[in-house]
Amino acid sequence: MPAYTAPVKDMQFLLQDVLNVTATGVPGYEDLDAGFTAAVLEEAGKVASDVLAPLNAVGDRIGCVLENGVVRTPDGFKAAFAAMKKGGWTALDCDPDYGGQGLPYLMGTAVGEIFVSANMAFNMYQGLTHGAYSAIHAHGTEAQKAMYLPKMVSCDWTGTMNLTEPHCGTDLGLMRTKAEPQTDGSYLITGQKIFISAGDHDLAENIIHLVLAKAPGGGEGTKGVSLFIVPKFLVQEDGSLGARNAVSVGKIEDKMGIHGNATCVMNYDGAKGWLLGDLHKGMRAMFTMMNEARLGVGLQGYAVAEAAYQNAVAYAKDRLQGRAVTGVANPAGPADPLIVHPDIRRNLMEQKSFVEGARALTFWGAQLIDRSVRQGDAAAEGLISLLTPVIKGFQTDKGFEMAVQAQQIYGGHGYIEEQGMSQFARDARIAMIYEGANGVQALDLVGRKLAQDGGKHVMAFFEMVKAECKAHDGDARMAGFVEPLKQASKQLQAAGMFFMQNGMKNPNAALSGSYDFMHLMGHVCLGLMWTRMAKAAYLALDAGASDTGFYETKIATGRYYMARQLPACGMHLARIETGADTVMALAAEAF
């Protein structure tokens, strides 16, 4: 069975050496000294290794079961969920006014990675609750917040988001779920939603569904959509639970992965709900939850890859196969371990350099959110808005690819279920699809985010990369990072220029290259992260750090990414500059 150990040292390096959290001036960061963050991460690591990871294969094998209208989670999930609640892990970065611990979003992100790596399907129950909490916290009335948030912070009640219907996924303007206003101010919700993660289960007393529906007078398309709070059990004025609402589970989806999470068809048959936010402005409120979810899914992409990588490394060091081409490395044995072979090293270096770069980008993104929320920093808000589709789309594409590469290390044994490597690949696959399929993320990036606020955010990003490169002028040690980053940034700018010159007269010319642009920008982002990490590692070595091996390994891993991965930017630019002609050449009937 696969094992998992939280990469606390790597996380500490990012928090303390790269992001230098205590010196940023972000409110709440002054408490994030090395001792405190290490204590939190190490304790989370114990929960992950001892409680969650052993249940990962159990959840995959047993799955969830619908019995007499009630969803039963896999063996051990209820006890594990109780342990998470008791440890306060569900409340880590929530508002203290509602029982939260008030830590920065960055710390919630770091702990979230640990739990996702250990058991992605399990962590979704509390992860989705956090998203619903955030939407109610941002858009709810004071009465709604007082009624729902304390129970959601503790996860005595959990939450969901209900968007997709059988006939519409991305195009939410086509939804048919209706909301009929009642004289008491409530609405009756009628319709069916599908693919609802954690839609029902036996882990909590109540489930608070956030449901998109159309109320009268809203008009066509998404402009007529509103968001409603629809609890599984109605909540009385004193906070106690009342009658069962008219919401039920039609079935649990039989799916490729994340079997430990109940993905449900939800039927609303005149269920009582209450408007969240403004009438006919439901997309605005829902996007509070969706944007958080997209960052969380980007985290899932590399977090699952981290767990798969750890097991691939262990197998490569233990499995004896063939001899090193440069001479026998294990004379006492019949063969050398897999890890002596160059192609195995290439495979592992691709995994390692991606995971560590993606972690850095995600932590930086979390810091941007903290700057936006805790300091009111509009520039940080604009930058994270630009980066969100990159973090979600690029990291989940590559995360799945890395999970497959980890499986490849095992050869035929990786294809056998008892080794557990196939679960990582199956679980990682969904992250490319939900919370906005990655093709939609690319369209959002190119079609909306590049031009947002007159393009000032992408221009600020280019200036940031330029400033990073300039900061290392004269440092010969950094040349292997700065020069590839400069080249990649120029290629990204050239792609943007191509869109500007061709996109208006032929929108297909831009949209045909949107997916390549998302990946090109993803590589530039990771190149920027590796440049920052390399500099931090050199500074630590210059300061006489005792663990020289750790910092030298960081530098060597970063050099691999810059030399072997960043050249992909040239390929993506070449594809973009071919325009739409070859993409759109065939008539629909020719396929």
Side-chain angles (χ1 to χ4, degrees):
M1 186 172 65
Y4 169 74
T5 301
V8 173
K9 194 165 189 176
D10 291 291
M11 292 180 166
Q12 284 287 86
F13 169 68
L14 289 176
L15 294 172
Q16 305 301 330
D17 294 346
V18 180
L19 296 176
N20 196 15
V21 287
T22 56
T24 59
V26 177
Y29 276 36
E30 67 276 6
D31 298 325
L32 304 184
D33 59 71
F36 176 77
T37 57
V40 172
L41 297 176
E42 286 167 4
E43 194 60 34
K46 292 177 185 177
V47 174
S49 297
D50 299 342
V51 179
L52 302 186
L55 292 176
N56 199 35
V58 174
D60 184 58
R61 184 176 66 254
I62 295 177
C64 297
V65 179
L66 179 61
E67 295 178 340
N68 301 319
V70 178
V71 173
R72 308 294 182 192
T73 53
D75 296 346
F77 272 43
K78 289 181 75 171
F81 201 71
M84 295 289 283
K85 290 164 54 178
K86 184 177 180 181
W89 296 109
T90 65
L92 205 66
D93 60 346
C94 295
D95 190 340
D97 288 346
Y98 303 102
Q101 297 177 38
L103 290 179
Y105 182 75
L106 175 58
M107 286 304 296
T109 298
V111 170
E113 178 199 322
I114 293 172
F115 293 158
V116 169
S117 290
N119 196 324
M120 174 176 163
F122 177 92
N123 192 67
M124 289 171 64
Y125 290 104
Q126 66 194 51
L128 286 158
T129 304
H130 192 286
Y133 152 87
S134 295
I136 297 173
H137 191 273
H139 301 282
T141 65
E142 291 304 315
Q144 287 173 335
K145 289 189 280 188
M147 176 175 285
Y148 296 108
L149 294 189
K151 292 286 190 177
M152 295 178 76
V153 166
S154 67
C155 271
D156 289 334
W157 300 351
T158 60
T160 71
M161 55 194 296
N162 286 236
L163 290 78
T164 306
E165 299 183 7
H167 58 282
C168 71
T170 301
D171 192 353
L172 292 172
L174 297 176
M175 73 173 55
R176 297 172 186 159
T177 301
K178 300 295 184 184
E180 293 296 330
Q182 305 299 298
T183 55
D184 65 356
S186 67
Y187 290 77
L188 295 184
I189 312 298
T190 302
Q192 186 179 78
K193 298 290 184 176
I194 64 170
F195 304 157
I196 309 306
S197 299
D200 196 71
H201 52 80
D202 54 1
L203 304 179
E205 301 167 356
N206 202 5
I207 301 174
I208 310 304
H209 302 289
L210 298 191
V211 184
L212 282 178
K214 288 189 172 182
E220 296 300 315
T222 56
K223 293 181 180 178
V225 171
S226 301
L227 185 61
F228 299 90
I229 299 173
V230 186
K232 177 180 177 179
F233 291 97
L234 298 175
V235 183
Q236 307 300 313
E237 287 189 10
D238 64 358
S240 63
L241 298 184
R244 174 74 184 259
N245 208 350
V247 52
S248 61
V249 181
K251 70 170 184 174
I252 300 175
E253 300 289 2
D254 184 11
K255 55 191 188 292
M256 178 178 175
I258 55 169
H259 296 150
N261 195 272
T263 304
C264 300
V265 173
M266 303 300 298
N267 296 319
Y268 294 87
D269 300 305
K272 201 159 190 174
W274 288 265
L275 182 68
L276 177 60
D278 297 328
L279 187 65
H280 308 315
K281 303 291 184 183
M283 294 304 294
R284 180 187 305 167
M286 181 57 84
F287 266 103
T288 297
M289 187 171 184
M290 285 196 70
N291 285 332
E292 177 179 312
R294 285 172 176 171
L295 290 167
V297 172
L299 180 149
Q300 287 179 338
Y302 82 83
V304 174
E306 163 70 32
Y309 164 75
Q310 287 189 17
N311 288 278
V313 169
Y315 189 82
K317 291 179 177 179
D318 182 67
R319 174 75 166 175
L320 302 181
Q321 289 286 283
R323 290 295 190 186
V325 295
T326 54
V328 174
N330 178 33
D336 293 332
L338 280 172
I339 202 164
V340 305
H341 302 300
D343 193 61
I344 297 293
R345 293 291 186 93
R346 172 203 57 79
N347 188 327
L348 293 173
M349 284 295 282
E350 287 191 6
Q351 295 175 58
K352 181 176 175 63
S353 63
F354 163 73
V355 167
E356 293 181 16
R359 177 181 295 120
L361 178 59
T362 304
F363 280 25
W364 179 47
Q367 186 183 59
L368 291 173
I369 290 174
D370 281 330
R371 282 171 48 191
S372 169
V373 172
R374 291 172 174 251
Q375 290 183 306
D377 188 331
E381 183 179 3
L383 189 54
I384 192 56
S385 178
L386 171 71
L387 294 175
T388 294
V390 179
I391 292 172
K392 195 281 183 185
F394 176 73
Q395 290 188 180
T396 57
D397 275 356
K398 300 298 288 187
F400 172 70
E401 181 184 328
M402 295 305 117
V404 170
Q405 289 194 194
Q407 184 185 30
Q408 187 75 10
I409 295 288
Y410 283 67
H413 292 283
Y415 203 66
I416 303 300
E417 289 294 338
E418 69 181 274
Q419 294 290 344
M421 297 305 289
S422 66
Q423 183 186 352
F424 293 129
R426 289 184 285 103
D427 286 356
R429 184 64 183 88
I430 186 56
M432 302 163 68
I433 299 172
Y434 61 14
E435 308 307 339
N438 286 356
V440 175
Q441 300 301 322
L443 295 178
D444 179 47
L445 176 63
V446 171
R448 289 200 316 124
K449 297 299 177 63
L450 292 185
Q452 194 171 37
D453 296 328
K456 73 176 185 180
H457 305 304
V458 72
M459 294 307 297
F461 177 76
F462 288 139
E463 286 300 313
M464 185 177 296
V465 174
K466 182 179 178 181
E468 184 68 38
C469 292
K470 190 172 179 60
H472 308 303
D473 282 350
D475 188 344
R477 301 177 301 182
M478 290 296 295
F481 293 88
V482 170
E483 294 308 317
L485 181 58
K486 282 182 181 177
Q487 176 69 10
S489 180
K490 288 177 182 177
Q491 290 164 332
L492 183 63
Q493 292 177 65
M497 186 61 67
F498 177 85
F499 293 155
M500 288 179 60
Q501 293 171 344
N502 296 275
M504 291 298 291
K505 57 186 177 183
N506 182 10
N508 283 339
L511 299 185
S512 295
S514 60
Y515 212 93
D516 279 286
F517 188 88
M518 180 178 72
H519 273 251
L520 202 170
M521 190 166 181
H523 280 300
V524 172
C525 285
L526 262 62
L528 175 62
M529 294 301 102
W530 272 116
T531 302
R532 291 177 175 175
M533 285 191 280
K535 185 60 178 180
Y538 277 125
L539 289 175
L541 290 171
D542 292 344
S546 58
D547 191 356
T548 57
F550 174 82
Y551 294 105
E552 288 169 352
T553 297
K554 283 291 175 195
I555 294 165
T557 306
R559 286 187 181 279
Y560 178 91
Y561 194 88
M562 306 306 281
R564 297 284 298 231
Q565 298 299 308
L566 227 53
C569 293
M571 175 193 69
H572 291 302
L573 175 60
R575 289 175 175 174
I576 289 167
E577 291 180 336
T578 64
D581 290 347
T582 56
V583 174
M584 305 300 291
L586 296 182
E589 58 269 19
F591 285 92

